[in-house]
Amino acid sequence: MTELLKVIFSVSLILLGMGAILVPMFFVIRHRDRTVKLPIDREKLNRLPGFGIQKQIQELQFDILSAMLMSVIVVTIPFAFEGLRGYLDKGTFPLAFIGFIVLGPIYFVVKTYRSMTRLTKLRLGHTAELATAAELMRLQGLGYQVFHDIQADGFNIDHLVVGINGVFAIETKGRHKWYSDKKNESNGGQHKAHELFYRDGKLVFPSWTETAPIEQAQRQAKWVSEWLTKAVGQSIPVMPVLVFPGWMVKSQTKPPFPIINHKQVAITLPKMNSAIFTQEQVNAIAYQIMQRCLQGKP
């Protein structure tokens, strides 16, 4: 093996592990950006308290982690390079290393792909919840009390809204939009990429159908009702609300509860009359929710 080939082989082997992470990241991001998009523009959302600082903190955390990783790479690469050159010069190579060289990249390719897929879903969910939370701020000016991310028994309630006309358990769902319109024969022809239909207990998207979010919203509202009834000492009905930020939601049959776009939240909830509470009752309910927010799950 010539000297040039030894150098190329050594460098390639050293960079193999980094490539096992960067290559799947590149293809996952490229495929995502070419096929789907966030339903709303993050930069156009009403900014919540600390939003700008939170973004700066995340960027600095990434910079610090990157610096730590690069420092390790920069320090160890010369030793790794010389070690590989030494084995190639001797014409021997430890067989035990082959297992690491073959299995290591495979493991990191699979792990990176799964992590990137999970990260995409979390990014979508976080953006959706920010959009709903920003719109819920409008209700505070109308006297409603709004709470976010309430910890329950093994799950969380995205948002709880309390007012004199009822308690509302809001479940926010983020769903990517396709870049192009999809055909949906069950809808009788063209189904636009930004439209979501409720029909006969189903959520009909441009190219798929769901029922689980409806069941989840009802189940969580029931849990909140049972918890508040026990905590306050009187019957507290809770209305579920399902929100899909960025989608144009249309009902072809009457839904069992509001299924709406995030822009409709501040308009729809004041018109609901799931229960009539006095201000004292509203304060008692809000107090119990606040206690749970501060203390977490009992």
Side-chain angles (χ1 to χ4, degrees):
M1 184 180 291
T2 65
E3 193 69 19
L4 178 60
L5 287 177
K6 289 180 181 179
V7 172
I8 294 175
F9 179 77
S10 299
V11 173
S12 300
L13 206 57
I14 291 172
L15 298 179
L16 181 62
M18 187 179 298
I21 296 176
L22 294 179
V23 171
M25 281 180 62
F26 170 78
F27 282 106
V28 169
I29 293 174
R30 186 168 181 264
H31 175 73
R32 181 197 69 193
D33 291 345
R34 291 180 62 181
T35 56
V36 297
K37 58 183 177 180
L38 288 174
I40 49 181
D41 188 349
R42 290 173 61 96
E43 300 302 323
K44 294 182 180 179
L45 292 176
N46 292 334
R47 298 174 73 89
L48 298 174
F51 181 82
I53 295 178
Q54 181 187 31
K55 190 174 182 180
Q56 293 180 45
I57 290 174
Q58 291 173 343
E59 291 174 351
L60 286 174
Q61 288 175 335
F62 180 79
D63 289 343
I64 292 171
L65 290 174
S66 300
M68 292 173 61
L69 177 62
M70 290 304 298
S71 67
V72 173
I73 292 175
V74 169
V75 171
T76 57
I77 277 181
F79 297 97
F81 180 78
E82 288 301 319
L84 286 170
R85 286 287 306 278
Y87 284 120
L88 293 175
D89 289 338
K90 294 178 182 178
T92 60
F93 199 83
L95 295 179
F97 286 10
I98 297 177
F100 288 98
I101 294 171
V102 174
L103 298 179
I106 295 175
Y107 169 79
F108 284 110
V109 165
V110 174
K111 183 176 178 61
T112 301
Y113 175 80
R114 290 177 177 175
S115 297
M116 287 298 299
T117 302
R118 176 65 175 161
L119 180 60
T120 298
K121 292 179 179 179
L122 289 175
R123 174 174 172 260
L124 173 62
H126 181 249
T127 301
E129 289 195 27
L130 282 178
T132 301
E135 293 301 317
L136 288 174
M137 292 175 64
R138 302 178 187 274
L139 290 174
Q140 293 176 321
L142 302 176
Y144 288 86
Q145 299 199 46
V146 180
F147 305 89
H148 308 284
D149 197 25
I150 298 90
Q151 299 302 302
D153 296 333
F155 59 93
N156 75 304
I157 310 296
D158 291 339
H159 319 276
L160 275 180
V161 177
V162 185
I164 59 174
N165 65 325
V167 178
F168 306 93
I170 300 175
E171 178 64 21
T172 297
K173 290 297 182 184
R175 294 293 183 268
H176 280 116
K177 291 181 179 178
W178 297 101
Y179 270 108
S180 60
D181 289 350
K182 300 291 180 178
K183 294 286 186 179
N184 189 314
E185 299 300 331
S186 65
N187 195 49
Q190 185 76 3
H191 189 153
K192 295 182 179 179
H194 63 277
E195 291 180 338
L196 160 61
F197 293 93
Y198 172 83
R199 182 173 67 241
D200 299 329
K202 298 179 180 179
L203 299 168
V204 183
F205 289 87
S207 58
W208 75 95
T209 301
E210 297 184 40
T211 58
I214 298 174
E215 299 164 359
Q216 180 186 1
Q218 292 174 320
R219 185 171 59 251
Q220 294 185 171
K222 180 181 177 182
W223 181 90
V224 174
S225 177
E226 293 174 350
W227 161 56
L228 286 177
T229 296
K230 183 178 179 180
V232 178
Q234 69 178 82
S235 178
I236 306 294
V238 176
M239 176 178 285
V241 180
L242 193 54
V243 180
F244 289 91
W247 288 85
M248 180 179 290
V249 184
K250 299 181 178 180
S251 297
Q252 296 181 330
T253 58
K254 186 177 180 180
F257 55 83
I259 302 176
I260 54 180
N261 178 286
H262 69 295
K263 293 288 187 180
Q264 299 172 298
V265 170
I267 301 173
T268 302
L269 265 58
K271 297 179 181 179
M272 299 289 104
N273 288 304
S274 64
I276 301 299
F277 297 122
T278 65
Q279 189 59 50
E280 290 74 15
Q281 290 172 319
V282 169
N283 293 340
I285 295 170
Y287 174 80
Q288 294 298 331
I289 298 174
M290 178 60 71
Q291 290 299 110
R292 194 173 188 95
C293 290
L294 294 174
Q295 299 173 5
K297 186 176 69 173

